[in-house]
Amino acid sequence: MKTLSAALLLLATACAHAVELRPGHPDQVIVTKGDTLWDISGRFLEHPWEWPGLWRNNPGITNPDLIYPGDRLQLKWVRGKPGLVHSRGDGRGPAIPTIHDPALKKFFSRPYLVDDEELKHSGYMIAFGDEALLASKGATAYARHLDPAVSDYVIIRPWKRYTDPGTGKMLGHGSLYVGSARVRRHGDPATLVITDHATEIRKGDHLLPATHDRDNLHHHPSRPAESVRGEIIDVLEGVFTTGQYQMVAINLGAEDGLKPGNILLINSAAYPETDDMPVPLDGNRNTEFDDPLARYDVKNDKRWYDVKRKETVLIPEEAAGELLVLRVYDDISFGMIADASRQIRIGYPVQSP
């Protein structure tokens, strides 16, 4: 019995990790400038998140997430399974990103999560050169409570408190990037120069050490290690809805086993709908004479109740898109909509492929 159980477990594992090739897939691809891992995986595979499955069968590839324009990717069969043979080209230009490069760079300058203690002890802007009320790139600024060992900072603006919709647990403050600054002279206040801005910087904006530049732009799409299900709790560049290449926050994080590069499926939310259509009557049992609520439809020769049916019907979830997880905290993650077949809304569920 144990042998049979082990065999079934191995079979289930093999099926779970099998890749599905796209009908009409190419035998090879020459990478060109502007390509992304998402685009290329979609040429070979039905599901881009199965991308690591093609590399798994080629142990000679040590760093498959770094692919450059000019590289050749050839589809080969190894022991009955598809795999990729990767041949380096001339290596000109940077490695191709996971998805649309401008969108990725924009993403990594945007969402941050900070807790109450971090905000309480962070530095903050108190004034700008020439007694200006606002500041932009190149301006002089003054800030308090900075770490004397840190010279480069990102400037953020807290804008929303996130709570888990299921448990009510406080997850942190969602904060948006407004700029960056470098210290010219430490002190109280410290003197800084604004090195970048996404919007005009205000007094009271917070400063955090610039550590998020370590984010990786080259994750290859992958399944989460564990089965997960959560929901979208915020749309970062809209009110309630968003679309492809836009940013969202979800109530899943490292404690749920998520890592940057994981792909989650997005579904529309199921919702109850009331069926209030009039109910047709059986003419043999109900007439205008024995039921005062019935009326006669002369045109269609049918009898109906004037009262309506009051049944609740649950409209099911439908596929809505795919989410690429890019920045992961303990209980929350930020990601980008890689594909969308409809408008994505707050409250839409996300789950493992």
Side-chain angles (χ1 to χ4, degrees), residues 256-268:
D256 303 289
L258 287 192
K259 293 181 179 180
N262 284 165
I263 295 293
L264 297 174
L265 302 185
I266 307 170
N267 289 339
S268 62

Side-chain angles (χ1 to χ4, degrees), residues 28-29 72 181 219 252 276 297 346:
Q28 70 173 19
V29 166
R72 181 191 303 270
H219 296 293
L252 298 170
D276 58 359
D297 185 337
I346 293 175

Side-chain angles (χ1 to χ4, degrees), residues 70-334:
D71 289 0
R72 181 191 303 270
L73 304 174
Q74 290 180 288
L75 187 66
K76 299 289 186 179
W77 291 86
V78 181
R79 296 183 296 277
K81 296 180 180 179
L84 286 178
V85 175
H86 183 193
S87 303
R88 289 291 186 200
D90 55 18
R92 294 177 182 174
I96 65 172
T98 307
I99 57 176
H100 189 53
D101 190 47
L104 271 180
K105 290 180 178 177
K106 181 180 178 182
F107 173 88
F108 281 123
S109 69
R110 290 288 178 174
Y112 294 85
L113 187 76
V114 292
D115 58 28
D116 289 331
E117 283 300 305
E118 193 172 8
L119 277 180
K120 181 179 178 181
H121 295 100
S122 67
Y124 56 90
M125 292 291 184
I126 61 165
F128 304 113
D130 299 324
E131 300 184 18
L133 298 179
L134 302 170
S136 56
K137 184 176 180 179
T140 298
Y142 303 92
R144 302 195 69 191
H145 296 173
L146 299 187
D147 185 339
V150 177
S151 295
D152 292 302
Y153 287 87
V154 291
I155 308 165
I156 64 166
R157 185 173 300 153
W159 75 299
K160 182 175 289 189
R161 290 172 62 94
Y162 290 134
T163 57
D164 189 289
T167 65
K169 177 183 177 181
M170 171 63 179
L171 302 178
H173 296 267
S175 305
L176 294 183
Y177 171 92
V178 294
S180 58
R182 178 167 297 148
V183 177
R184 278 182 177 166
R185 182 178 62 251
H186 285 285
D188 186 20
T191 305
L192 308 92
V193 59
I194 306 300
T195 55
D196 182 46
H197 76 281
T199 186
E200 289 185 306
I201 298 159
R202 307 171 187 167
K203 296 179 183 179
D205 284 343
H206 292 258
L207 293 99
L208 299 178
T211 57
H212 285 293
D213 56 355
R214 301 171 189 166
D215 283 309
N216 187 357
L217 296 177
H218 305 286
H219 296 293
H220 53 260
S222 62
R223 295 172 182 266
E226 304 174 20
S227 178
V228 296
R229 183 175 170 88
E231 66 180 83
I232 294 173
I233 60 173
D234 191 26
V235 169
L236 274 65
E237 292 190 318
V239 181
F240 300 109
T241 65
T242 190
Q244 189 178 30
Y245 298 143
Q246 301 304 307
M247 297 169 283
V248 298
I250 61 174
N251 63 335
L252 298 170
E255 293 188 357
D256 303 289
L258 287 192
K259 293 181 179 180
N262 284 165
I263 295 293
L264 297 174
L265 302 185
I266 307 170
N267 289 339
S268 62
Y271 64 94
E273 185 68 39
T274 301
D275 179 357
D276 58 359
M277 293 295 291
V279 181
L281 299 177
D282 185 340
N284 295 326
R285 291 187 293 105
N286 300 286
T287 69
E288 294 88 342
F289 302 102
D290 59 22
D291 190 341
L293 292 177
R295 61 181 173 80
Y296 190 71
D297 185 337
V298 177
K299 183 177 180 180
N300 297 306
D301 195 23
K302 293 180 180 178
R303 291 176 173 78
W304 300 78
Y305 276 119
D306 279 342
V307 293
K308 295 182 177 181
R309 179 189 287 120
K310 291 294 182 182
E311 293 181 15
T312 300
V313 179
L314 185 65
I315 305 302
E317 296 180 9
E318 298 287 351
E322 291 149 5
L323 172 69
L324 175 64
V325 176
L326 291 172
R327 182 171 289 158
V328 178
Y329 295 90
D330 288 345
D331 299 303
I332 190 173
S333 298
F334 295 100

Side-chain angles (χ1 to χ4, degrees), residues 29-46:
V29 166
I30 304 296
V31 181
T32 61
K33 184 178 180 180
D35 279 341
T36 67
L37 279 176
W38 189 265
D39 295 334
I40 293 175
S41 62
R43 296 179 208 173
F44 287 109
L45 298 168
E46 276 292 306

